[in-house]
């Protein structure tokens, strides 16, 4: 048994902010004491820092199995831990697709060596093809709570309705409902799209996806959530119209939740003017008005979570012509810092968007995002909100380097991360 | 001028300077021995990742008439087919020591990306739907040659604006040189917005045809037909083609232009293609001195001291 004390800092969680040390025990994985001037076998200095519940990423592509040249579960978990995450939902678009108990079990087994909890999401349909329902019940029995077909989302409305009806009738061990997560994009409106359809796509000569490609499916899935009573989660919303619809749906009592990514509230489509392939993301970077709407949605609760959509691509996959490169950027290590730097909301709200709110959506609230008190699982991050740093791709832990934040100065960094009462990041560095 | 990627990067003065230089090279062309030693010892790579007959040949002749060494690189024979990344390909070519790389690629933005990977001067010979700046320059040259200036001239670009690099670069160049540009197309062949374009929009060709100094017809790709963008080439001809009837309404001293290769009977009726106002072959001929001027501008003044040499050549 080794105990670790987080000493000399403040504590911030759903219960508010206060000063205090936190003592954790790696044998039980629990918080054993909270209070002033504690001591333990080892000490993590938290002077000028804040201990918060560890972050939960609802949406990360870990690439293993299938594309280990871009990322492995271990390398992604190292990046995640450095970003303050104690749990990451692993997206199902791997090779083979996570649409069966055996593949999901493999991901869980690979996650055993990770520096954070790796919680698999599974596909809604077999092979993410939108044609045949994946075994949602069998997967739920393994512990899967979140299902997504990724890509363009489920295109067929009738299929989506059936998937929602079926999901809502699958009982789970702990009673948490299954959640169908959609990356909304009416594919026939975004054929050949490389970026947002607008002034910049027009000038740059690149195919564009109109905001309506996303909004039509958000509209449809709100209607289907109302019809079926099942839970729908919207992934990476990017347009003002989508956010307005989700806000109205929530006000009308429809059980929907939504996430946005740091790149969508930091950049606009003008960023593509350099043809930098690290500005090619899906959904695309949108307009100034959309960025403002995302920020407003984060401030007023229309949006529940900040997710990374961490999408590693090996360098040779990004050093291609803009229209031949894969969409997506990495984000696990920068998400908190970008949120703190870019958003005009207080630290508690940002931590909520990164921690207890996504933990609730993912059905992980028993282990992550909890109030910091005796007996709670010790999944914690210690953040220095004033630490200024410049993003250098070569210093990031992901196997890939495709960050759009390279060279940017950010304020706020994760100093220590404690996973299952064990320090996995100490003084900004991963312990293994 | 260190490189030529987009007309947007050039001022009106830059454009005028290149056209003036092209006028000098056009004089050289008329000689028995139409060759100058201006770029002797310089190596120009023609890196065409997309098929092109006239543009590649035109650059090839232009570089040779400046006495540059010319290397042809064709994508079909290259490692790109073996999965090498574009960056690796470009770094491999430029590692052999080249002074300029002339790039044609089916993807928008490739010359911009290449410019970040090499010290060689990058000249855009057409990228995706984005830009074709030497086409814009040779078209400006052709119009200036005919009217003396583009100032106040009314020019219509007719056809597939959305998918056209020629439309994007020509609209910018013509406008910078003082012309009034109108784009004429159905909305399926227009970008969703033309914010930032120095043009007005018209969907009806008949509304403007009688009032033009230049009627510029863009090539229509066969694959646009029946795809939901256009019903048929017959309907396209009826609504957007230069028919005999429309040609009769065009002013006597107007120019009929087309970047080639032309679909006779679609964009332009066969009889009209041979109208004295049609300068399609003149456009092609002007490509050589204009591209000589571009290559000389990126490899000559400011980079190497060839100005005296050029003057001596021009005076001889």
């Amino acid at each position: 048994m080794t105990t670790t004390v987080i000493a000399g800092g403040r504590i911030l969680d759903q219960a508010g902010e206060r000063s205090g040390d936190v003592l954790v025990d790696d044998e039980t994985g629990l918080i054993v004491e909270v209070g002033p001037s504690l001591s333990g076998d080892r000490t993590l200095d938290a002077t000028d820092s804040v201990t918060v519940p560890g972050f939960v990423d609802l949406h990360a592509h870990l690439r293993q199995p299938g594309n280990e040249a871009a990322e492995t579960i271990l390398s992604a978990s190292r990046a995640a831990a450095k970003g303050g995450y104690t749990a990451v939902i692993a997206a199902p678009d791997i090779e083979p697709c996570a649409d069966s108990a055996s593949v999901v079990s493999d991901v869980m087994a690979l996650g055993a060596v990770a520096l954070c909890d790796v919680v698999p999401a599974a596909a809604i349909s077999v092979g993410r093809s939108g044609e045949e329902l994946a075994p949602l019940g069998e997967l739920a029995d393994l512990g899967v709570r979140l299902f997504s077909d990724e890509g363009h989302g489920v295109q067929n409305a009738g299929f989506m309705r059936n998937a929602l009806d079926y999901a809502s009738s699958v009982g789970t061990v702990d009673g948490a409902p299954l959640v169908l997560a959609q990356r909304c994009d009416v594919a026939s409106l975004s054929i050949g799209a490389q970026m947002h359809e607008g002034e910049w796509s027009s000038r740059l000569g690149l195919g564009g996806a109109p905001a309506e490609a996303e909004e039509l499916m958000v509209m449809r899935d709100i209607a289907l959530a109302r019809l079926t009573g099942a839970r729908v989660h919207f992934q990476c919303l990017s347009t003002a119209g989508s956010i307005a619809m989700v806000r109205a749906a929530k006000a009308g009592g429809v059980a929907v939740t939504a996430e946005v990514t740091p790149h969508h509230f930091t950049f606009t489509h003008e960023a593509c003017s350099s043809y930098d392939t690290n500005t090619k993301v899906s959904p695309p970077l949108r307009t100034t008005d959309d960025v403002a709407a995302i920020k407003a949605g984060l401030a007023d609760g229309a949006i529940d979570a900040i997710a990374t959509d961490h999408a590693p691509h090996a360098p040779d996959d990004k050093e291609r012509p803009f229209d031949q490169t894969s969409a997506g950027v990495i984000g696990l290590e920068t998400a908190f810092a970008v949120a703190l730097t870019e958003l005009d909301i207080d630290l508690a709200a940002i931590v909520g968007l990164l921690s207890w709110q996504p933990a609730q959506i993912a059905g992980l609230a028993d282990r992550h995002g909890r109030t910091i008190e005796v007996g709670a699982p010790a999944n914690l991050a210690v953040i220095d909100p004033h630490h200024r740093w410049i993003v250098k791709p070569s210093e990031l832990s992901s196997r890939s380097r495709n960050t759009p934040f390279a060279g940017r100065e950010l304020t706020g960094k994760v100093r220590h991360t404690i996973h299952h009462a064990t320090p996995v990041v100490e003084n900004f560095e991963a312990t293994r | 001028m260190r490189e030529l990627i987009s007309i947007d990067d050039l001022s009106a003065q830059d454009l005028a300077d290149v056209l003036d230089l092209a006028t000098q090279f056009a004089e050289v062309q008329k000689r028995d021995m139409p060759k100058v030693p201006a770029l002797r010892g310089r190596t120009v790579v023609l890196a065409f990742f997309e098929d092109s007959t006239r543009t590649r040949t035109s650059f090839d002749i232009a570089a040779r008439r400046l006495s540059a060494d010319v290397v042809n690189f064709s994508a079909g024979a290259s490692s790109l087919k073996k999965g090498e990344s574009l960056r690796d390909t470009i770094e491999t070519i430029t590692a052999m020591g080249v002074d300029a790389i002339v790039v044609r690629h089916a993807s928008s933005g490739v010359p911009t990306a290449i410019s970040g990977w090499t010290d060689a001067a990058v000249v855009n010979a057409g990228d995706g739907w984005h830009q074709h700046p030497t086409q814009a320059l040779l078209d400006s040259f052709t119009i200036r040659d005919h009217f003396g200036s583009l100032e106040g001239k009314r020019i219509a670009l007719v056809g597939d604006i959305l998918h056209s690099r020629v439309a994007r670069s020509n609209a910018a160049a013509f406008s910078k040189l003082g012309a009034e540009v109108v784009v004429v197309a159905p909305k399926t062949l227009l970008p969703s917005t033309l914010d930032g374009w120095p043009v007005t929009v018209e969907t009806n060709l008949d509304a403007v045809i009688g009032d033009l100094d230049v009627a510029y017809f863009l090539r229509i790709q066969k694959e646009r037909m029946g795809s939901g963008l256009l019903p048929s080439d017959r309907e396209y001809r009826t609504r957007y083609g230069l028919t005999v009837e429309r040609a009769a309404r065009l002013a006597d001293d107007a120019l009929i232009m087309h970047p080639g290769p032309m679909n006779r009977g679609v964009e332009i009726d066969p009889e009209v293609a041979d109208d004295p106002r049609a300068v399609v072959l003149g456009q092609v001929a002007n490509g050589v001195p204009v591209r000589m001027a571009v290559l000389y501008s990126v490899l000559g003044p400011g980079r190497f001291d060839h100005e005296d040499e050029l003057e001596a050549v021009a005076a001889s």
Side-chain angles (χ1 to χ4, degrees), chain A residues 63-415:
Chain A
R63 303 294 188 223
Q64 191 182 16
N67 189 3
E68 289 82 353
E71 193 78 287
T72 64
I73 286 177
L74 181 61
S75 64
S77 77
R78 195 174 285 125
K82 282 169 76 182
Y85 290 95
T86 52
V88 169
I89 309 296
D93 57 337
I94 44 180
E95 286 291 329
C97 175
D99 59 6
S100 68
S102 64
V103 176
V104 166
S105 300
D106 284 351
V107 172
M108 288 173 165
L110 288 163
V113 299
L115 283 71
C116 62
D117 285 0
V118 173
V119 183
I124 297 170
S125 66
V126 174
R128 304 191 295 116
S129 62
E131 288 166 6
E132 191 185 334
L133 207 54
L136 305 191
E138 191 180 1
L139 293 162
D141 291 344
L142 276 177
V144 177
R145 290 291 175 274
L146 207 67
F147 294 81
S148 171
D149 268 2
E150 297 292 335
H152 302 280
V154 174
Q155 295 296 306
N156 185 298
F159 182 88
M160 187 64 182
R161 187 249 173 112
N162 289 339
L164 286 165
D165 269 333
Y166 188 78
S168 66
S169 53
V170 171
T172 60
V173 180
D174 58 7
L178 299 191
V179 178
L180 299 198
Q182 278 274 73
R183 154 63 186 103
C184 289
D185 182 34
V186 175
S188 62
L189 282 174
S190 58
I191 292 168
Q194 308 300 326
M195 62 178 299
H196 173 66
E197 180 181 289
E199 179 189 346
W200 284 99
S201 66
S202 173
R203 290 178 61 173
L204 295 170
L206 290 169
E212 286 74 7
E214 174 176 311
E215 291 164 358
L216 279 173
M217 195 178 282
V218 171
M219 186 186 293
R220 183 199 79 179
D221 285 351
I222 288 171
L224 293 177
R226 187 187 294 118
L227 175 68
T228 60
R231 288 285 315 280
V232 172
H233 174 71
F234 292 111
Q235 297 180 303
C236 337
L237 291 186
S238 67
T239 83
S242 296
I243 288 155
M245 285 189 280
V246 168
R247 183 183 288 118
K250 286 180 167 184
V254 184
V256 294
T257 53
E259 67 182 41
V260 296
T261 76
H263 46 272
H264 285 111
F265 60 68
T266 304
F267 301 106
T268 68
H269 56 153
E270 186 176 357
C272 302
S273 63
S274 60
Y275 293 100
D276 177 354
T277 53
N278 289 328
T279 64
K280 180 174 170 179
V281 289
S282 176
L285 303 173
R286 305 277 188 187
T287 68
T288 316
D289 288 347
D290 295 312
V291 169
I294 290 170
K295 288 180 171 175
L298 286 164
D300 72 9
I303 298 163
D304 304 89
I306 295 169
T308 64
D309 195 14
H310 180 80
H313 293 293
D316 66 330
D317 199 18
K318 277 289 189 182
E319 290 169 352
R320 292 179 185 279
F322 200 90
D323 62 358
Q324 290 170 27
T325 195
S326 303
V329 295
I330 57 172
L332 285 165
E333 217 166 318
T334 48
F336 161 71
V338 171
L340 194 63
T341 305
E342 293 294 328
L343 299 176
D344 194 20
I345 52 179
D346 65 26
L347 183 62
I350 289 172
V351 174
L353 287 159
L354 287 163
S355 178
W356 52 84
Q357 289 166 210
Q360 198 71 44
I361 293 167
L364 298 174
D366 58 329
R367 284 164 286 162
H368 296 273
R370 286 191 43 169
T371 303
I372 297 171
E373 61 191 6
V374 174
N379 292 313
L380 303 166
V382 179
I383 56 187
D384 179 347
H386 305 293
H387 186 91
R388 293 166 81 87
W389 59 296
I390 291 170
V391 179
K392 296 186 179 123
S394 61
E395 293 176 359
L396 300 177
S397 288
S398 171
R399 289 208 66 182
S400 293
R401 298 280 174 261
N402 52 313
T403 172
F405 298 105
R408 273 178 100 89
E409 187 181 61
L410 302 176
T411 302
K413 201 170 189 191
V414 175
R415 190 168 173 184

Side-chain angles (χ1 to χ4, degrees), chain A residues 197-199 202 205 275 323-324, chain B residues 107-109 130 168 191-193 197:
Chain A
E197 180 181 289
E199 179 189 346
S202 173
Y275 293 100
D323 62 358
Q324 290 170 27
Chain B
S107 298
S108 299
H130 177 223
R168 284 179 178 77
S192 63
T193 171
W197 288 56

Side-chain angles (χ1 to χ4, degrees), chain B residues 44-48 56 59-60 63 70-74 100-103:
Chain B
V44 175
V45 173
L46 306 182
F48 277 57
R56 179 204 277 264
F59 266 110
D60 199 335
V70 181
V71 181
N72 273 278
F73 170 90
S74 74
I101 177 160
V102 178
V103 186

